[in-house]
Amino acid sequence: MSTQDHIAVRAVKTQQGVETDVYAFFLPGSEVMKIAGISRIQRDDNELKGFQRQEIRSHVNSIVEFLDSGPVLFPNAIILALSKDVTFTAARGSKPSEAVEIVTSGTLRIPVPATGDKAAWIVDGQQRSLALSRTQNKDIPVPVIAFVSHDIEVQRQQFILVNKVKALDTRLIDELLPEVSTLLPKDLAENKLPSELCNLLNTHKDSPFYRLIKRKSDKKTSNAVIIDSALIAAIKANLKLHTSALSQYVNSDGTSDADEMFSMLVKYWTAVKDTFPEAWGKGPEKSRLMHMAGIRSMGALMDPVMLRAESSTDVEGDIRQSLGRLKQYCCWTAGKWDDLGWKWNDLQGTSQHIDRLSQYLIQLDRKLSKASR
């Protein structure tokens, strides 16, 4: 089947999308990693590269154990993206008259370079592919579906759509979403703008969150302390209602002014940082402000505080006054939330705690703002 410079397989070819060639074929499991690489998600000078999560060793080992157990049924298809270096030669001869004419059979040749980049990338099935390369059962035939595209955006789009229905880490999907410009399902599309704003807040030097947000592409040496899903959820809530702080920058045609949204987020959260300097930038075990519960509840407070401040002649001053009135009632690093009956570190990232704290801060803000008039 294979030579030194390519692997040849019998395949059927069709087209989907805008004249995108799609192939279906079988490979011995041990051959998959010979032709396909894994594009790991990482950042290089703020540029997002790749899309695949890291290897899950326990998952791979469990698959290897299954494959080594004897003759097994393993029909799960691997999905690959192929470079344009592959070649396909249609088979000669007559076709059955009753065959549905949507595919062409023939021989697909996939280059296997001695060094450098491979001619295929795994879009779905990296844990299975790694296991297949390590099993003793080297010759198990594995179904492969492959499409021709060197475009990283197309590969990311397919990766997201394929894994949307699986138990894939939503943080990984959220980080990839801003890099995909094609049409997405509604639930994914709703997270795209919040994730893009989250990324801006993490990478822009004017942001109070600069380098403080944990993303899936982070290296282990990162000093980030805030989990990205907390901030994304907070921003998503700020966009949800027509009366929320960020919704005024969503146009009737569905487009958004991300620059204005970013500016508002920086104003508000910079004021939060300056109001609670002793709680800012610490790990969530030392500061509940940096915890899921703190970010989500202070995010909920942003709506009434910002909407009221925007009617003032001094927007930033009004924000700081509102937060300053609340400061003595907040227990992010020590003490007790007397009205809630919690010690500072009793606060957890559950929906019950987040909702109770959010309502408490919003109601207290309303009460104190009326008293200050």
Side-chain angles (χ1 to χ4, degrees):
M1 170 182 286
S2 64
T3 69
Q4 289 185 341
D5 61 349
H6 72 269
I7 286 178
V9 294
R10 297 292 292 174
V12 292
K13 173 186 175 181
T14 190
Q15 288 191 328
Q16 291 184 347
V18 183
E19 297 183 347
T20 298
D21 291 336
V22 182
Y23 298 96
F25 54 93
F26 282 85
L27 275 178
S30 58
E31 301 280 308
V32 175
M33 295 301 295
K34 291 182 180 179
I35 64 169
I38 298 172
S39 182
R40 300 284 189 205
I41 186 170
Q42 58 181 315
R43 284 194 183 273
D44 184 4
D45 295 329
N46 291 333
E47 181 183 358
L48 188 67
K49 297 184 176 181
F51 50 90
Q52 286 280 9
R53 55 185 164 175
Q54 297 302 307
E55 174 183 344
I56 304 174
R57 187 170 300 175
S58 61
H59 187 190
V60 173
N61 289 341
S62 67
I63 299 173
V64 171
E65 183 179 357
F66 169 72
L67 293 171
D68 287 346
S69 65
V72 295
L73 179 64
F74 198 70
N76 310 73
I78 306 295
I79 299 180
L80 302 180
L82 300 174
S83 77
K84 294 183 179 180
D85 295 331
V86 302
T87 59
F88 179 79
T89 305
R92 297 179 179 179
S94 59
K95 302 176 182 178
S97 58
E98 68 273 19
V100 179
E101 296 295 332
I102 57 173
V103 299
T104 302
S105 62
T107 302
L108 177 67
R109 291 178 173 82
I110 305 170
V112 183
T115 59
D117 293 338
K118 296 180 179 179
W121 302 267
I122 297 172
V123 173
D124 183 58
Q126 69 144 323
Q127 314 295 345
R128 281 171 280 143
S129 299
L130 289 168
L132 286 163
S133 70
R134 299 170 189 175
T135 180
Q136 297 174 11
N137 192 358
K138 300 294 185 183
D139 295 326
I140 181 171
V142 177
V144 177
I145 301 296
F147 60 92
V148 177
S149 177
H150 202 85
D151 187 344
I152 186 68
E153 181 178 326
V154 174
Q155 296 171 27
R156 286 172 174 157
Q157 176 202 21
Q158 291 303 310
F159 174 76
I160 291 171
L161 294 175
V162 166
N163 286 289
K164 175 181 177 291
V165 297
K166 299 182 179 180
L168 184 67
D169 192 328
T170 55
R171 290 179 58 214
L172 174 58
I173 288 182
D174 283 341
E175 188 169 2
L176 289 170
L177 285 174
E179 310 294 330
V180 176
S181 60
T182 48
L183 185 64
L184 293 165
K186 182 180 178 182
D187 57 338
L188 291 178
E190 288 176 349
N191 277 18
K192 182 175 179 178
L193 177 58
S195 184
E196 185 175 356
L197 290 168
C198 178
N199 191 53
L200 281 172
L201 290 168
N202 193 40
T203 57
H204 200 292
K205 291 185 177 180
D206 291 339
S207 166
F209 292 106
Y210 181 63
R211 298 302 185 198
L212 290 179
I213 303 170
K214 292 182 181 180
R215 306 229 70 177
K216 289 299 290 185
S217 61
D218 283 344
K219 296 179 174 64
K220 292 183 178 179
T221 55
S222 170
N223 294 319
V225 294
I226 302 168
I227 192 166
D228 54 1
S229 55
L231 191 56
I232 288 171
I235 295 172
K236 189 175 178 180
N238 293 141
L239 284 162
K240 194 169 186 179
L241 302 175
H242 293 301
T243 56
S244 58
L246 299 180
S247 63
Q248 62 183 302
Y249 300 117
V250 179
N251 303 317
S252 58
D253 61 359
T255 59
S256 304
D257 191 335
D259 290 339
E260 288 296 333
M261 292 180 183
F262 174 73
S263 178
M264 176 178 280
L265 287 163
V266 168
K267 285 180 184 177
Y268 175 74
W269 285 104
T270 298
V272 173
K273 173 185 176 182
D274 294 344
T275 302
F276 304 103
E278 74 289 347
W280 195 264
K282 296 181 178 179
E285 71 283 356
K286 295 181 179 179
S287 169
R288 283 304 197 254
L289 179 58
M290 301 286 95
H291 190 274
M292 167 76 77
I295 295 295
R296 292 283 303 277
S297 59
M298 290 301 291
L301 182 65
M302 176 178 162
D303 286 336
V305 168
M306 292 303 296
L307 291 173
R308 185 172 59 245
E310 291 206 315
S311 64
S312 169
T313 55
D314 181 7
V315 174
E316 292 189 26
D318 197 278
I319 298 168
R320 292 172 185 274
Q321 286 180 11
S322 296
L323 296 174
R325 290 191 291 263
L326 290 170
K327 183 174 182 178
Q328 63 177 308
Y329 299 93
C330 296
C331 305
W332 300 121
T333 61
K336 182 179 180 181
W337 298 83
D338 290 326
D339 293 337
L340 296 172
W342 298 331
K343 293 180 182 178
W344 75 274
N345 55 357
D346 287 340
L347 186 58
Q348 302 299 320
T350 63
S351 58
Q352 182 183 14
H353 278 212
I354 293 170
D355 290 344
R356 280 193 66 193
L357 183 57
S358 298
Q359 289 304 311
Y360 172 71
L361 292 173
I362 290 170
Q363 290 170 7
L364 186 59
D365 169 66
R366 185 185 302 120
K367 177 182 175 181
L368 295 175
S369 66
K370 288 181 178 178
S372 68
R373 293 173 186 170

